[in-house]
Amino acid sequence: MSIGLTLLGLLESGPRHGYDLKRAFDERFGQNRPLHYGQVYSTMSRLLKNGLVEVDGIEHGSGPDRKRYAITEAGVTDVAQWLSQPEAPEPYLQSTLYTKVVLALLTGRDANDLLDVQRSEHLRLMRDLTQQKRTGELADQLICDHALFHLEADLRWLELTAARLGQLAKEVRP
Amino acid sequence: MTPDGALLTAQDLRKAYGPTPALDGADFSIHPGEVVAVMGPSGSGKSTLLHCLAGIVRPDSGSVRFDGRELSQMGDAERSALRRGEFGFVFQFGQLVPELTCVENVALPLRLTGVKRKDAEGRALEWLERLEVAEVGGKRPGQVSGGQGQRVAVARSLVTSPRVLFADEPTGALDSLNGERVMELFTQAARETRAAVVLVTHEARVAAYSDREVVVRDGKARDMAGAV
């Protein structure tokens, strides 16, 4: 999952300090793996260098200066592109998909659309595997079946998430 | 057929049951030999779309055209003839006639169009063989397994060589292995006869037998072909 794009997505709702960004990330997406401060600051300086964020203000205090970051037009375009592109289907994709769904809801984009496009991408691979099964030996069939069951599990999660979007939207944007 | 070669099309279909809209401006089209999965959450309008396309339910407004003919302009008799002759149906629970043997069940759609018993049952047996259940021909539906019964139902849907097959959760009551074999035989037969298949399913592994999928949500149908 792209931490840079996730942080950008979190910035879409308004400028934040690096510390606030880390806290927002950990609260929503970092249940088992909170971000290190170093990770946040190195990511932010990369985003800054690439013109995806800009410094919105600097607070001078007793410690080091605190920069407040704001997303740029180019940053918004990158987030929009990331959310509209399906992920390559593979097992254990849930954390990325979950992040994308939450960010879509947070930024007022159509989460159903994102899930529809992802379903379509999964089905495309499932069609290929089903076709391979048709023409393959028993061993090929079993190998394809293994992949198909994993993809099906992803899609079951996707359908359940689609059914709970309204509920999730309320929690994400009370 | 329409200029783009579609065999069955629907435009701006609307249908409400009481105050609740089941279809709210749904569009759809399918070409000969194409298998289209209709997906979407429960209560999204999938089955209503299938029923309107098949002329079982009259939409409140909108158009359904089969082979250039508008269904809403047909009388009941003409629509019944269309359903008997040009359309085939498979449902989740085979809905076989319990008093008839399996071969008689499969022959029934032919008998209803006036085919003589011997000819009808000959063709029915060929389809039972094709669906790998010739051995149950003489048995009644109550004496065969769920998987066998569903294959009999599929054979019945194909026996009249329909131009459109409507399947509503056709493998919903079967285990994985049986379900997949039924889908394999069903879609293969449909492709060979250039029948179009409208396949309502919530199962991704079943939808994987289709050429493309249409997602129904809140009474609207979204064609996902080219969406990615």
Side-chain angles (χ1 to χ4, degrees):
Chain A
M1 187 179 70
S2 164
I3 291 170
L5 286 162
T6 308
L7 293 178
L8 273 180
L10 289 171
L11 273 180
E12 253 201 78
S13 50
R16 290 175 198 251
H17 291 104
Y19 174 76
D20 292 337
L21 268 176
K22 175 197 155 35
R23 210 173 48 185
F25 182 99
D26 289 349
E27 266 173 24
R28 293 192 187 279
F29 312 118
Q31 281 84 352
N32 303 317
R33 278 191 307 174
L35 286 182
H36 297 296
Y37 285 109
Q39 236 175 332
V40 177
Y41 291 108
S42 64
T43 305
M44 292 319 291
S45 58
R46 181 171 52 81
L47 296 175
L48 196 61
K49 204 174 96 191
N50 294 338
L52 303 174
V53 298
E54 57 197 8
V55 176
D56 183 58
I58 298 179
E59 260 176 43
H60 305 284
S62 52
D65 291 348
R66 293 180 68 204
K67 283 181 190 156
R68 202 165 69 150
Y69 299 97
I71 191 165
T72 61
E73 285 290 323
V76 173
T77 307
D78 272 20
V79 174
Q81 202 178 10
W82 184 49
L83 293 182
S84 65
Q85 293 295 316
E87 296 293 315
E90 58 178 62
Y92 312 114
L93 197 55
Q94 275 77 348
S95 65
T96 306
L97 291 184
Y98 171 75
T99 303
K100 284 181 144 189
V101 168
V102 170
L103 281 181
L105 293 172
L106 267 175
T107 53
R109 292 184 172 89
D110 190 344
N112 264 317
D113 191 58
L114 184 157
L115 292 174
D116 281 350
V117 171
Q118 189 64 54
R119 181 193 300 105
S120 207
E121 187 69 5
H122 267 64
L123 278 175
R124 202 159 59 149
L125 180 56
M126 290 180 77
R127 284 190 185 102
D128 288 349
L129 290 164
T130 303
Q131 184 57 34
Q132 283 176 40
K133 263 175 65 175
R134 269 192 193 134
T135 48
E137 307 275 311
L138 181 59
D140 300 320
Q141 291 177 16
L142 291 174
I143 289 164
C144 288
D145 268 331
H146 185 262
L148 280 164
F149 277 117
H150 278 279
L151 292 165
E152 186 188 28
D154 268 1
L155 282 180
R156 283 185 174 199
W157 175 88
L158 187 146
E159 302 304 349
L160 197 69
T161 306
R164 289 172 168 172
L165 273 183
Q167 207 181 332
L168 185 62
K170 278 185 201 153
E171 288 189 13
V172 169
R173 298 181 84 176
Chain B
M1 284 197 276
T2 56
D4 75 338
L7 177 62
L8 180 70
T9 58
Q11 277 187 317
D12 200 21
L13 285 186
R14 287 168 202 278
K15 174 75 189 173
Y17 295 104
T20 319
L23 291 179
D24 190 16
D27 299 326
F28 183 86
S29 81
I30 190 167
H31 292 73
E34 196 181 22
V35 180
V36 176
V38 178
M39 307 185 79
S42 299
S44 59
K46 301 189 293 281
S47 292
T48 305
L49 176 63
L50 182 140
H51 291 155
C52 286
L53 290 171
I56 297 170
V57 166
R58 277 183 192 272
D60 299 334
S61 67
S63 150
V64 179
R65 293 179 80 81
F66 168 70
D67 202 10
R69 288 177 283 167
E70 177 65 49
L71 260 63
S72 64
Q73 286 167 8
M74 293 181 187
D76 284 345
E78 200 184 347
R79 283 197 306 159
S80 293
L82 187 72
R83 285 201 299 267
R84 274 202 306 269
E86 310 270 24
F87 293 172
F89 296 90
V90 191
F91 298 103
Q92 182 171 0
F93 301 100
Q95 297 183 341
L96 300 170
V97 181
E99 292 82 4
L100 301 180
T101 63
C102 288
V103 79
E104 287 167 341
N105 263 285
V106 177
L108 192 58
L110 291 171
R111 299 280 288 137
L112 290 172
T113 56
V115 178
K116 291 205 168 70
R117 185 192 180 100
K118 199 177 156 197
D119 293 343
E121 292 189 358
R123 273 161 68 183
L125 198 57
E126 282 170 24
W127 276 108
L128 285 175
E129 278 168 13
R130 179 83 193 264
L131 271 295
E132 304 169 339
V133 280
E135 73 280 7
V136 304
K139 292 184 178 172
R140 296 217 162 92
Q143 299 169 305
V144 305
S145 73
Q148 289 169 328
Q150 200 61 5
R151 290 179 193 215
V152 173
V154 169
R156 183 183 58 182
S157 76
L158 289 159
V159 75
T160 55
S161 304
R163 295 173 68 195
V164 186
L165 283 154
F166 294 95
D168 195 349
E169 304 284 5
T171 61
L174 304 180
D175 60 62
S176 299
L177 203 57
N178 256 303
E180 292 205 12
R181 191 67 190 141
V182 165
M183 282 312 298
E184 176 66 37
L185 295 168
F186 179 50
T187 51
Q188 198 180 353
R191 287 198 165 96
E192 280 172 22
T193 58
R194 297 278 294 153
V197 180
V198 182
L199 170 67
V200 169
T201 183
H202 70 279
E203 287 183 70
R205 284 162 64 81
V206 172
Y209 285 88
S210 67
D211 299 305
R212 65 182 163 95
E213 79 277 10
V214 163
V215 178
V216 181
R217 182 177 306 110
D218 301 330
K220 292 184 174 61
R222 180 178 185 198
D223 187 344
M224 295 308 295
V228 177

